[in-house]
C-alpha cells in the first residue's frame, strides 16, 4: 500500500456525526426527530 491510501483509525472524538434522513409521506425528515417507536421501526427495516 502506498502512503496515500493507508487508512488510519480515528478516535471517537475525531469522527464527524452522520445524520440519517428518510422519506416519509412524500417529504424528507431526519430520523433523529422520530419518536422512540418510529426510530425502532426504522432500525428494523430491510434496506435493498
Amino acid at each position: 500500500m502506498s502512503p496515500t491510501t493507508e487508512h488510519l483509525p480515528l478516535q471517537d472524538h475525531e469522527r464527524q456525526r452522520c445524520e440519517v434522513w428518510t422519506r416519509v409521506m412524500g417529504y424528507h425528515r431526519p430520523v433523529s426527530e422520530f419518536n422512540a417507536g418510529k426510530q425502532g421501526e426504522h432500525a428494523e427495516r430491510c434496506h435493498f
Side-chain angles (χ1 to χ4, degrees):
M1 244 184 203
S2 70
T4 58
T5 59
E6 287 184 29
H7 295 275
L8 300 175
L10 292 175
Q11 302 296 320
D12 286 342
H13 70 276
E14 296 175 307
R15 295 175 183 266
Q16 182 177 359
R17 181 178 162 90
C18 177
E19 186 171 41
V20 177
W21 285 60
T22 187
R23 186 172 170 265
V24 179
M25 298 297 291
Y27 61 95
H28 292 86
R29 222 179 126 168
V31 174
S32 61
E33 290 187 11
F34 287 177
N35 63 35
K38 186 58 102 172
Q39 285 183 6
E41 178 186 318
H42 182 266
E44 293 176 356
R45 291 182 187 172
C46 288
H47 299 278
F48 55 94

